[in-house]
């Protein structure tokens, strides 16, 4: 069954402590993998789109990578304002966007 | 600034009444828009795909007669929750993909918090 799985479910970091979030997918014919940030009570904010294995994109302290089975969102030297839920979503041939459950990131000062 | 605008951001209605939520793409045309529902501490669940000029396609388990979708123009889609009940209380979010020359981005509205009392 096609699915999108994110891990960990929750992650607590100290300010400056780098880490990675994982998004694994089991779909055929991937069209795109999206990363979003969502703050409580708000709609998701677009971060990245990745299309093919080996692709990497960066934005400030965030770097997203993609393999044939998973994507990582690397957070370098996070700050408290990076605290949010990070969602990944996948589109594949014949289907609309499907989301993972998200990773709730908390960065303590 | 926001490229997809959703209105209202919050609404409280009485059980049995209907509520309309609007989703507008502000600086691009969207032939397709998506409607999601999100329960507390859960991820977004796709409800339906709104197609300009044609009928919406609904996900399995979503009642099309209860959640009416209209995509009358290339910049506006509406979701109407008919005969709302307390179990319909949720956070509803729309999104619209913007296809660029190099990338496709899916932008989201701000969301609508619906409370049915």
């Amino acid at each position: 069954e096609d699915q999108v799985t994110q891990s960990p479910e929750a992650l607590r970091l100290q300010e400056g402590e780098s880490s990675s979030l994982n998004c694994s997918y089991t779909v055929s014919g991937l069209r795109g993998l999206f990363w979003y940030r969502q703050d409580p009570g708000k709609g998701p904010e677009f971060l990245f789109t990745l299309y093919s294995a080996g692709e990497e994109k960066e934005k400030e302290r965030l770097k997203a990578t993609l393999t044939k089975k998973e994507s990582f969102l690397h957070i370098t030297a996070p700050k408290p304002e990076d605290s949010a839920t990070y969602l990944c979503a996948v589109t594949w041939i014949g289907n609309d966007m499907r989301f993972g459950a998200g990773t709730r990131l908390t960065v303590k000062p | 600034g926001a490229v997809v605008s959703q209105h209202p951001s919050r609404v409280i209605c009485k059980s049995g009444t209907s509520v309309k939520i609007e989703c507008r793409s502000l600086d691009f045309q969207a032939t397709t828009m998506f409607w999601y529902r999100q329960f507390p501490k859960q991820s977004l669940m796709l409800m339906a795909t709104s197609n300009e000029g044609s009928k919406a396609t609904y996900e399995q388990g979503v009642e099309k007669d209860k959640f009416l979708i209209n995509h009358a123009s290339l910049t506006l889609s509406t979701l109407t929750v008919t005969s709302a009940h307390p179990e319909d209380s949720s956070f509803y979010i729309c999104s619209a993909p913007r296809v660029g020359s190099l990338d496709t981005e899916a932008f989201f509205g701000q969301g609508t918090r619906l409370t049915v009392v």
Side-chain angles (χ1 to χ4, degrees):
Chain A
E1 180 181 336
D2 296 326
Q3 62 178 355
V4 183
T5 305
Q6 287 188 249
S7 63
E9 183 177 323
L11 180 63
R12 301 173 75 89
L13 300 174
Q14 287 296 131
E15 184 172 2
E17 180 186 0
S18 301
S19 187
S20 296
L21 282 55
N22 177 266
C23 173
S24 63
Y25 58 93
T26 55
V27 302
S28 300
L30 179 74
R31 293 176 62 185
L33 186 143
F34 300 77
W35 280 100
Y36 293 89
R37 169 193 171 127
Q38 187 177 25
D39 293 299
K42 296 184 178 181
E45 174 189 345
F46 172 78
L47 294 175
F48 305 107
T49 309
L50 302 168
Y51 294 101
S52 58
E55 190 174 0
E56 299 182 354
K57 289 190 177 178
E58 290 188 63
K59 180 181 180 180
E60 296 180 351
R61 295 180 291 281
L62 301 176
K63 179 180 178 180
T65 62
L66 181 65
T67 72
K68 289 185 177 180
K69 295 184 178 181
E70 59 192 348
S71 176
F72 291 95
L73 183 66
H74 307 277
I75 302 178
T76 302
K79 298 181 178 181
E81 53 262 41
D82 294 323
S83 298
T85 294
Y86 290 85
L87 299 167
C88 81
V90 172
T91 60
W92 66 101
I93 295 173
N95 286 272
D96 302 309
M97 188 176 287
R98 293 289 186 271
F99 282 82
T103 294
R104 292 191 303 279
L105 173 66
T106 303
V107 182
K108 291 189 172 183
Chain B
V3 296
V4 174
S5 177
Q6 188 173 340
H7 179 80
S9 58
R10 291 180 179 272
V11 59
I12 301 173
C13 71
K14 292 185 177 180
S15 186
T17 62
S18 295
V19 174
K20 179 184 284 188
I21 304 170
E22 294 187 346
C23 181
R24 296 179 182 274
S25 56
L26 298 182
D27 60 359
F28 66 101
Q29 294 181 333
T31 56
T32 302
M33 291 187 179
F34 302 100
W35 287 96
Y36 296 85
R37 183 172 181 176
Q38 187 176 37
F39 291 104
K41 297 187 178 181
Q42 295 187 24
S43 188
L44 301 173
M45 297 298 294
L46 180 66
M47 297 176 65
T49 302
S50 172
N51 304 294
E52 189 270 334
S54 64
K55 291 182 179 180
T57 54
Y58 290 81
E59 294 299 296
Q60 191 173 6
V62 177
E63 300 176 60
K64 57 183 66 177
D65 293 331
K66 182 170 186 62
F67 298 99
L68 301 180
I69 291 174
N70 185 288
H71 197 149
S73 76
L74 289 171
T75 60
L76 175 63
S77 176
T78 61
L79 169 68
T80 301
V81 182
T82 63
S83 186
H85 288 91
E87 57 264 31
D88 298 323
S89 298
S90 188
F91 192 55
Y92 293 86
I93 308 175
C94 69
S95 79
R98 184 174 71 181
V99 180
S101 57
L102 298 176
D103 212 345
T104 295
E105 301 169 292
F107 293 97
F108 286 80
Q110 302 94 322
T112 298
R113 171 70 61 190
L114 171 64
T115 303
V116 184
V117 297

